Amino acid sequence: MTSIGGAEMVDWNLAVATATRLVRPGPEVSRDEARAIVAELRKHAKSSEEHVRAFTRMGTEDTHDTPVLVVDRAGWIRANVAGFREILKPLLDKMQDRRSGPGGAVLGAVGGKVTGVELGMLLSFLASRVLGQYETFAPAARDLPAGQSGGGRLLLVAPNIVHVERELDVDPHDFRLWVCLHEETHRTQFSAVPWLRDHLEGEIQSFLSETEVDPMTVIERIRETAQSLVGGRPEGEDDDGGRSIVELVQTPAQREILARLTAVMSLLEGHADFVMDGVGPDVVPSVGEIREKFQQRRARGASRLDQALRKLLGLDAKLRQYRDGERFVRAVVGEVGMDGFNRVWTSPNTLPTKSEIAKPADWVARVHRKGE
């Protein structure tokens, strides 16, 4: 546990307890129905491996180092808190070095328990919205196994999948396979491209090492977000223009790193969308209906509160990544075929830049010109 000024910055255990207590209950299912859903998701996750590999033509290493876990919302919360602690440790250690400064003194008064409660509120909001997640940086735990040789783990959040399939009124068996195809694509990306995980981790750690934000700024942003969940923003207080948490950091070096990370995430998310739609017609009979309804749901969003939180947390950027990345992949495959597109996985130098995501022809010209 990292401490600043003699006090814990984040009480992670309290964050888990708070999120678990506040998260919305999942849809009502019987015990037998729950067992059947879990079994079906595991079956679809397994069958998706073959479908994804055949479509993408990506040779993969042994995927036994990346377990598939079907979890409830509380399980998703525990897994993500563990991941946050792992990836944010360098940043928290850096903040700890500042404990003698004014920010550290204030944090010492605020204490990690307040921060833990507020972080828990954010996690409770997100825990009911994620369908699946490939955890790239996943530390192993007794109830949450992870790869022992650098592999992550694939999470399928059963209550959320059931909730959305009922909300969209689509065939549940088709929808579950469709979701598994997307998430399995992410597992294939990292198992077939051994350097990708280390590259991403290096970029993230470079980003965090450049962070010069005062610790209190981060804490205040968490507090503002948490307060907005319960309508706690003081009346008449102006919005900040919809900046996300990561946009608080605006050093030139971090802007460059963030641009590269945005491009990579757009590629990964867009590729997964492209693959699940490409595989879909052969194995998911109602894929057209599912895609149409799901896109409408994405575009429609939910409440005004949802939309505000998406901006603050950067989730609106994630939605753009799905759209822009899928367009990039579709355009490149259309121009040079799947094998030509797969040159993107050759090395970090062949990853698209942020501008190339918007202009696929520029990537094709850069990467394929030398070969031709």
Side-chain angles (χ1 to χ4, degrees):
M1 187 73 68
T2 298
S3 62
I4 299 180
E8 296 173 350
M9 179 178 176
V10 180
D11 187 331
W12 297 104
N13 293 332
L14 184 57
V16 171
T18 301
T20 303
R21 185 176 68 253
L22 296 180
V23 70
R24 298 174 183 175
E28 292 187 9
V29 295
S30 68
R31 186 179 298 271
D32 289 342
E33 187 178 6
R35 289 197 186 102
I37 291 168
V38 170
E40 183 175 17
L41 286 172
R42 287 174 175 159
K43 181 187 72 173
H44 286 330
K46 182 64 178 177
S47 66
S48 293
E49 291 184 38
E50 182 179 349
H51 297 313
V52 170
R53 294 176 192 180
F55 183 81
T56 62
R57 302 177 192 172
M58 295 176 71
T60 62
E61 297 178 349
D62 189 358
T63 59
H64 290 118
D65 198 39
T66 53
V68 177
L69 307 179
V70 181
V71 299
D72 58 10
R73 290 169 177 174
W76 181 88
I77 289 167
R78 292 194 302 274
N80 276 265
V81 167
F84 290 158
R85 292 184 68 171
E86 184 81 6
I87 199 68
L88 292 177
K89 187 178 185 301
L91 175 60
L92 296 181
D93 288 345
K94 185 176 183 178
M95 288 182 172
Q96 183 181 15
D97 293 339
R98 300 180 176 183
R99 61 187 180 274
S100 60
V106 176
L107 278 172
V110 172
K113 293 192 180 300
V114 173
T115 310
V117 168
E118 292 170 343
L119 179 59
M121 294 172 69
L122 293 182
L123 290 169
S124 71
F125 169 79
L126 296 172
S128 62
R129 285 156 173 79
V130 177
L131 301 182
Q133 175 183 353
Y134 180 81
E135 280 201 294
T136 314
F137 313 106
R142 184 176 59 182
D143 59 338
L144 289 167
Q148 298 300 314
S149 302
R153 58 182 167 228
L154 182 61
L155 305 179
L156 297 170
V157 191
N160 297 347
I161 293 172
V162 173
H163 171 79
V164 173
E165 70 191 25
R166 291 179 179 178
E167 178 186 349
L168 298 181
D169 190 25
V170 294
D171 182 283
H173 309 293
D174 284 1
F175 184 75
R176 293 165 195 172
L177 176 55
W178 188 70
V179 171
C180 287
L181 289 170
H182 180 101
E183 302 307 331
E184 176 58 36
T185 302
H186 288 317
R187 188 162 73 141
T188 297
Q189 290 163 347
F190 284 91
S191 60
V193 187
W195 55 264
L196 184 57
R197 180 187 185 278
D198 290 341
H199 172 71
L200 270 180
E201 183 175 18
E203 291 280 55
I204 292 170
Q205 295 305 332
S206 295
F207 183 90
L208 294 178
S209 69
E210 292 285 337
T211 298
E212 296 298 338
V213 174
D214 181 83
M216 275 306 302
T217 305
V218 178
I219 300 303
E220 286 302 320
R221 181 48 51 119
I222 293 175
R223 174 172 294 114
E224 290 172 9
T225 309
Q227 286 176 344
S228 68
L229 278 170
V230 293
R233 179 182 291 275
E235 185 176 354
E237 183 176 322
D238 292 335
D239 197 329
D240 64 358
R243 291 185 302 163
S244 70
I245 290 175
V246 294
E247 289 172 331
L248 284 170
V249 183
Q250 292 294 326
T251 68
Q254 286 179 316
R255 280 196 293 270
E256 293 180 7
I257 297 169
L258 191 57
R260 295 196 297 269
L261 282 171
T262 299
V264 174
M265 297 312 297
S266 295
L267 170 68
L268 299 180
E269 296 294 358
H271 184 235
D273 264 12
F274 177 79
V275 170
M276 71 179 182
D277 284 346
V279 174
D282 292 332
V283 299
V284 183
S286 59
V287 64
E289 177 191 4
I290 291 174
R291 165 54 78 185
E292 181 179 359
K293 289 184 175 181
F294 196 77
Q295 289 286 55
Q296 290 173 354
R297 183 178 185 271
R298 275 183 180 172
R300 184 174 63 250
S303 65
R304 183 177 178 182
L305 175 61
D306 262 2
Q307 294 171 357
L309 285 168
R310 283 178 180 176
K311 287 186 177 181
L312 189 58
L313 298 174
L315 299 182
D316 57 334
K318 186 173 180 65
L319 295 179
R320 289 195 299 272
Q321 288 169 4
Y322 285 112
R323 181 188 65 239
D324 297 344
E326 195 274 340
R327 289 175 180 169
F328 170 84
V329 176
R330 187 173 300 279
V332 172
V333 172
E335 180 71 20
V336 296
M338 185 64 74
D339 291 334
F341 165 79
N342 281 340
R343 288 196 190 181
V344 78
W345 312 117
T346 304
S347 75
N349 292 330
T350 56
L351 291 172
T353 64
K354 188 175 180 180
S355 64
E356 287 172 342
I357 288 287
K359 297 180 179 179
D362 290 353
W363 180 87
V364 172
R366 176 173 68 88
V367 173
H368 284 265
R369 182 185 300 120
K370 183 177 179 179
E372 293 171 356

